[in-house]
Amino acid sequence: MEKRKLGNTDLLVSPITFGGNVFGWTIDEAKSFEILDAFVEAGFNFIDTADVYSRWKPGNQGGESETIIGNWIKSRNNRNKVILATKLGSDMGDGKKGLSKKYITEAIDASLLRLKTDYVDLYQSHYDDPETPVEETLEAYGELIKAGKIRWIGASNFSAERLKESLETSKRLSLPKYQSFQPEYNLYNRAEFEKEYEQICLDNQLGVINYYSLASGFLTGKYRSVDDLGKSARGGGMKDYLNDKGFRVLKALDEVSEQYNSTPASVALAWLIARPSITAPIASVTSLAQLEDLTKAASLRLNMEDIAILDEASALS
C-alpha cells in the first residue's frame, strides 16, 4: 500500500488513518481487536486516538480507547508495525485538561501506561488552551521528545490565528514545531478548512489528518431520509445533512461510485486522498464489511472529471 510522509517527519503513514474513537464506545474490545487485526493485515499502519476517548459513553471515564489499543499491541507484539497518534488537552474530569507543562507531563505518562508502550509517534494538542502561553506548551513537548516519550507533535481544533502563532513561536525560539493538523473536513463540510487553514498547512508543510472524513457516516449513503436516522448511534446527527446540498452530494457520490464499481464511502475518502493538502483522512469502522470501504478507497484513483463532479456538487457556499 502507498505510504505518505506526514509533514516533515520521518513517519510514513498509510493514506487512511483509523479513528480510535469507536473503541470502547460503539464496539467492545474483542470486536476492536478483530478490526485492528484486519486493518493492519490490509496494509494500513496509522491509528489515531485520544486520552478522552470515549469518556462520553455512560459508565466510561476516558482512556478506554487507549487501553484497548494498548491491550491489542501487547497481545500482538506489533508496536513496530503501527504508527500511533494520540491527543491530550480535552477535559478528563477533576480539572485534568489543558496544555500546561505540568499537565502535559502527567497526561503523557497516563497515555503511555494505557497504550502499553514507551513512546507515542505523534502527540497532539487536542484543543487549544488560551490560558497557557504557546511557548510553555512547546517547551514541554521538547522535553518529552528529549526524554524519548514522544517523537513528533501535532495540533487539532486550533483557530487559524493560534496555529500560526504556534508555528511562528517554534521558528522564533527554535522549539518543536507542529508537524500535523487535524481539522474537520469532508466532501460536505469544506468551507472552513479550505478558506482558513488549507494554505497555512501547505505553506508550512503540515500533514493533514482530518476527522469526520465521512461526515459522521452521512457520506456512506446510509442516511437518505428521516426514517434512516435510527439506523445507528450516530443517526441523530444526520438530520442537518438532509438538505439540498446533502442530497446533491449523495447524488454525485452515487454517480461516481457507479463508474468505479465502488461505494459512496470509498469515493468520498478517495476524493480527500486526491486533494494535495490532505495526507491521511481519519475514518472509523465498526465492522469488517465497512473496513472494505477503507481498503478500496486507499487504491481508488479518481480521474479529474469525476473529481470535478464531486467538487461542483459540494461547492463552497
Side-chain angles (χ1 to χ4, degrees):
M1 181 178 291
E2 168 204 16
K3 298 297 190 293
R4 297 174 159 203
K5 186 178 179 182
L6 183 70
N8 276 322
T9 73
D10 59 359
L11 302 176
L12 297 177
V13 302
S14 50
I16 294 177
T17 311
F18 195 98
N21 60 320
V22 294
F23 302 143
W25 174 30
T26 52
I27 53 176
D28 62 16
E29 182 167 284
K31 191 66 176 180
S32 300
F33 278 28
E34 179 185 36
I35 289 174
L36 283 168
D37 285 342
F39 182 74
V40 171
E41 188 176 338
F44 296 104
N45 69 346
F46 197 18
I47 302 168
D48 175 77
T49 186
D51 56 5
V52 75
Y53 297 167
S54 46
R55 185 170 180 250
W56 53 84
K57 181 180 178 180
N60 284 4
Q61 59 182 9
E64 288 78 15
S65 175
E66 288 184 330
T67 298
I68 287 174
I69 294 169
N71 290 342
W72 173 72
I73 287 172
K74 183 179 180 181
S75 68
R76 304 304 190 254
N77 191 28
N78 65 352
R79 180 64 184 91
N80 62 338
K81 293 183 179 179
V82 293
I83 293 174
L84 202 53
T86 193
K87 301 183 284 291
L88 87 151
S90 293
D91 189 353
M92 294 286 283
D94 299 324
K96 296 179 179 179
K97 64 177 180 178
L99 299 174
S100 68
K101 178 180 178 181
K102 180 178 183 296
Y103 182 60
I104 288 173
T105 304
E106 296 171 359
I108 184 60
D109 286 342
S111 285
L112 291 175
L113 188 63
R114 288 188 291 263
L115 289 164
K116 293 180 171 58
T117 184
D118 296 328
Y119 69 98
V120 168
D121 295 292
L122 181 68
Y123 202 38
Q124 302 160 98
S125 301
H126 204 165
Y127 292 94
D128 187 20
D129 177 4
E131 297 179 5
T132 299
V134 166
E135 53 266 35
E136 178 181 338
T137 298
L138 297 174
E139 285 172 359
Y141 286 145
E143 291 182 12
L144 294 185
I145 292 171
K146 287 179 181 177
K149 293 183 178 181
I150 65 175
R151 299 196 59 218
W152 304 96
I153 59 172
S156 177
N157 299 304
F158 276 37
S159 68
E161 291 71 25
R162 285 284 277 187
L163 179 59
K164 285 191 286 188
E165 180 186 351
S166 297
L167 295 169
E168 289 163 0
T169 300
S170 295
K171 185 175 182 180
R172 178 168 52 85
L173 300 179
S174 298
L175 293 170
K177 172 195 167 189
Y178 289 129
Q179 296 291 339
S180 65
F181 186 57
Q182 190 172 143
E184 177 179 352
Y185 183 56
N186 55 58
L187 190 57
Y188 182 94
N189 289 316
R190 295 175 53 188
E192 184 176 30
F193 174 71
E194 292 185 22
K195 290 179 179 179
E196 297 185 28
Y197 296 98
E198 188 168 37
Q199 198 57 50
I200 297 173
C201 293
L202 289 169
D203 290 345
N204 291 277
Q205 296 180 296
L206 301 186
V208 176
I209 49 175
N210 53 297
Y211 65 88
Y212 288 169
S213 298
L214 293 173
S216 298
F218 175 72
L219 297 176
T220 66
K222 182 178 179 179
Y223 308 95
R224 295 175 184 264
S225 70
V226 174
D227 293 338
D228 294 332
L229 301 184
K231 286 184 175 180
S232 76
R234 288 183 166 186
M238 296 299 108
K239 197 170 184 179
D240 292 342
Y241 296 108
L242 298 178
N243 52 42
D244 289 345
K245 179 179 180 180
F247 295 133
R248 192 168 65 244
V249 169
L250 288 182
K251 182 180 179 183
L253 284 171
D254 288 341
E255 179 183 340
V256 174
S257 62
E258 186 175 347
Q259 296 290 329
Y260 292 87
N261 191 28
S262 188
T263 64
S266 294
V267 170
L269 291 170
W271 178 84
L272 286 167
I273 292 169
R275 196 162 185 92
S277 60
I278 303 300
T279 307
I282 299 170
S284 302
V285 303
T286 57
S287 70
L288 295 180
Q290 292 175 356
L291 184 60
E292 290 182 15
D293 287 334
L294 272 58
T295 305
K296 290 176 182 176
S299 60
L300 183 57
R301 301 291 181 267
L302 302 177
N303 63 40
M304 296 306 295
E305 292 79 7
D306 292 321
I307 289 174
I309 290 171
L310 297 167
D311 285 347
E312 183 178 355
S314 61
L316 307 186
S317 54

